[in-house]
Amino acid sequence: LIEKEWLSFGHKFHQRLGHHDYHGKDERSPVFVQFIECVWQIMQQYPCEFEFSDALLIEILDSVYSCQYGTFLCDSEKQRVDSRVVAATMSLWTAVNAKRERYLNPIYDPLQDVLLVNANMRHIAFWSGYYLRWNPQMHPVEDVFERAKKLRELCLSLEAQCQKLEERVTQAASESQT
């Protein structure tokens, strides 16, 4: 979605983010950040519907501002090609795919065909995992997705043990009948 709707259609990342001390007409705007924030808000209402975790969203936003990857440099695909950004830099997607497990949602289990988002202010949450992550006064809290991943692994292990025990019980019962 980001590649097609934002990058290929030419969102002006260079101008909107103020990269390279852009001195033209001030067109800085956090539109892309707002889009990512909206995705996160929907994830809060439907935590099992997204294959990725908020760690991916944070990685995307960090790469937008750090200019570490060429993905979000320039204002269009043509500018990225003309300035040889693609040849000179690594893509964010290459880095993400190399660490894919880190960004997966351990509770991913899509059930809905259409997500009906509730935009009522009572359902809007503050994304402290992004906005307050560098605040030294915030106490480290165990990542919910990491905890869910561990619990899912434990459940799978216990289910496998139950299956083995059921097979042993079935085998013992059939042996006792003969």
Side-chain angles (χ1 to χ4, degrees):
L1 179 67
I2 291 171
E3 189 69 37
K4 180 182 174 196
E5 301 295 334
W6 291 88
L7 295 166
S8 295
F9 282 163
H11 178 70
K12 297 179 179 183
F13 283 99
H14 179 79
Q15 291 180 21
R16 298 293 184 255
L17 299 172
H19 285 164
H20 308 293
D21 197 25
Y22 179 72
H23 292 294
K25 183 180 174 184
D26 192 7
E27 293 186 25
R28 286 180 286 178
S29 171
V31 174
F32 185 72
V33 176
Q34 291 170 336
F35 165 73
I36 297 293
E37 169 84 25
C38 288
V39 172
W40 184 83
Q41 293 292 338
I42 296 169
M43 287 175 68
Q44 301 316 292
Q45 291 183 30
Y46 295 96
C48 299
E49 299 297 323
F50 290 84
E51 188 174 1
F52 53 88
S53 69
D54 65 341
L56 177 61
L57 299 178
I58 291 171
E59 183 72 24
I60 290 168
L61 288 176
D62 284 351
S63 72
V64 164
Y65 285 105
S66 72
C67 301
Q68 182 178 2
Y69 305 102
T71 308
F72 300 106
L73 297 179
C74 304
D75 285 338
S76 68
E77 187 66 30
K78 182 181 182 328
Q79 283 182 357
R80 281 187 284 281
V81 170
D82 290 349
S83 61
R84 300 178 191 202
V85 168
V86 175
T89 64
M90 183 167 72
S91 167
L92 167 66
W93 314 125
T94 302
V96 165
N97 286 331
K99 303 181 278 185
R100 191 172 193 277
E101 281 292 314
R102 178 179 178 200
Y103 304 113
L104 292 177
N105 178 357
I107 59 172
Y108 175 61
D109 187 21
L111 300 173
Q112 303 282 331
D113 288 335
V114 176
L115 302 181
L116 302 174
V117 178
N118 188 337
N120 186 300
M121 285 302 294
R122 290 181 291 157
H123 297 281
I124 304 298
F126 179 72
W127 190 5
S128 60
Y130 178 68
Y131 295 110
L132 297 180
R133 63 193 164 132
W134 305 117
N135 185 337
Q137 295 179 354
M138 295 299 296
H139 300 288
V141 178
E142 183 178 12
D143 182 29
V144 173
F145 286 107
E146 284 301 315
R147 179 74 174 140
K149 185 177 179 181
K150 289 175 188 174
L151 289 173
R152 179 167 231 147
E153 289 169 0
L154 177 62
C155 285
L156 291 173
S157 172
L158 291 172
E159 287 173 358
Q161 286 179 353
C162 284
Q163 182 68 29
K164 287 178 185 178
L165 290 172
E166 287 173 354
E167 289 171 3
R168 286 177 56 189
V169 166
T170 303
Q171 183 181 7
S174 66
E175 289 175 359
S176 68
Q177 291 178 352
T178 54

